[in-house]
Amino acid sequence: MEHEHGNHEHHQHEHHEHHSGPEHEGHGHGHGHGHHAGHTPGGKVSWAMAARATLHCLTGCAIGEVLGMIVGTALGWGNVATMILAIVLAFFFGYALTLRGILAAGVDFRSAVRVALAADTLSIAVMELVDNGVIALWPGAMDAHLSEPLFWTVLAISLAVAFVLTTPVNKWMIGRGKGHAVVHQYHH
């Protein structure tokens, strides 16, 4: 391009500028590929990206909590046993959702498990701690059954609080190239 003559070069340059503008922008936003930032520690990590990672864990935790309550109640277990089961299932489903995404990218199972454990352990632990803490401290919530509105109200509030508190944890981890930053490498 540099060897072209003035007039022609100017014309080409203009054309190039015109071409790359909107197309380039549309490309960047369409896929939400802001995850390059996660690869380099100290890079800018968007709150949206951290929220997405947190939402992933939240979905798994919510499934686990509810399922734990259903099974625990059906088996006539006490509060503590039911809560332990709910936490175990929350971890299981939290990992399972992440694992599914990594396996879909063609990673072998053992590596995928390692990545999922690394990405989600802290996130799910914080979430479960907050979530169950709210339920444990809320008067009557531990004894509320699935058929009672109190159970669902407290669960929704506790998950919302857990989401708000876990998102910064994920943002910090992704910013350091850990957690879901590792998972995002497989989401090309």
Side-chain angles (χ1 to χ4, degrees):
M1 218 200 287
E2 276 157 57
H3 301 303
E4 305 285 337
H5 284 307
N7 200 357
H8 194 64
E9 185 193 336
H10 182 67
H11 181 68
Q12 243 193 346
H13 189 65
E14 219 171 43
H15 181 68
H16 184 68
E17 197 101 72
H18 185 70
H19 204 64
S20 75
E23 184 200 328
H24 192 67
E25 252 179 277
H27 212 67
H29 289 307
H31 297 304
H33 264 36
H35 68 257
H36 298 294
H39 293 215
T40 51
K44 185 114 180 62
V45 181
S46 71
W47 280 104
M49 185 176 156
R52 264 203 306 276
T54 310
L55 210 56
H56 219 137
C57 295
L58 191 74
T59 309
C61 288
I63 295 169
E65 295 278 324
V66 175
L67 208 61
M69 279 295 295
I70 293 170
V71 174
T73 306
L75 296 176
W77 290 4
N79 287 341
V80 177
T82 303
M83 191 179 252
I84 290 169
L85 177 67
I87 292 170
V88 169
L89 288 173
F91 269 93
F92 174 76
F93 282 103
Y95 289 136
L97 289 176
T98 298
L99 207 56
R100 200 185 63 182
I102 302 168
L103 289 171
V107 179
D108 69 282
F109 189 74
R110 281 181 63 172
S111 303
V113 168
R114 273 205 305 276
V115 171
L117 291 177
D120 284 343
T121 302
L122 182 63
S123 181
I124 297 174
V126 171
M127 196 164 274
E128 284 303 291
L129 203 65
V130 175
D131 179 27
N132 288 293
V134 171
I135 292 171
L137 296 172
W138 196 290
M142 286 287 284
D143 299 311
H145 292 288
L146 291 164
S147 56
E148 296 174 40
L150 178 68
F151 169 79
W152 296 102
T153 306
V154 176
L155 182 68
I157 291 169
S158 66
L159 287 171
V161 172
F163 178 76
V164 169
L165 294 178
T166 311
T167 300
V169 173
N170 273 323
K171 188 173 189 295
W172 174 74
M173 280 177 69
I174 296 167
R176 294 178 64 233
K178 294 195 186 336
H180 270 251
V182 184
V183 176
H184 277 281
Q185 290 173 17
Y186 298 106
H187 283 254
H188 286 310

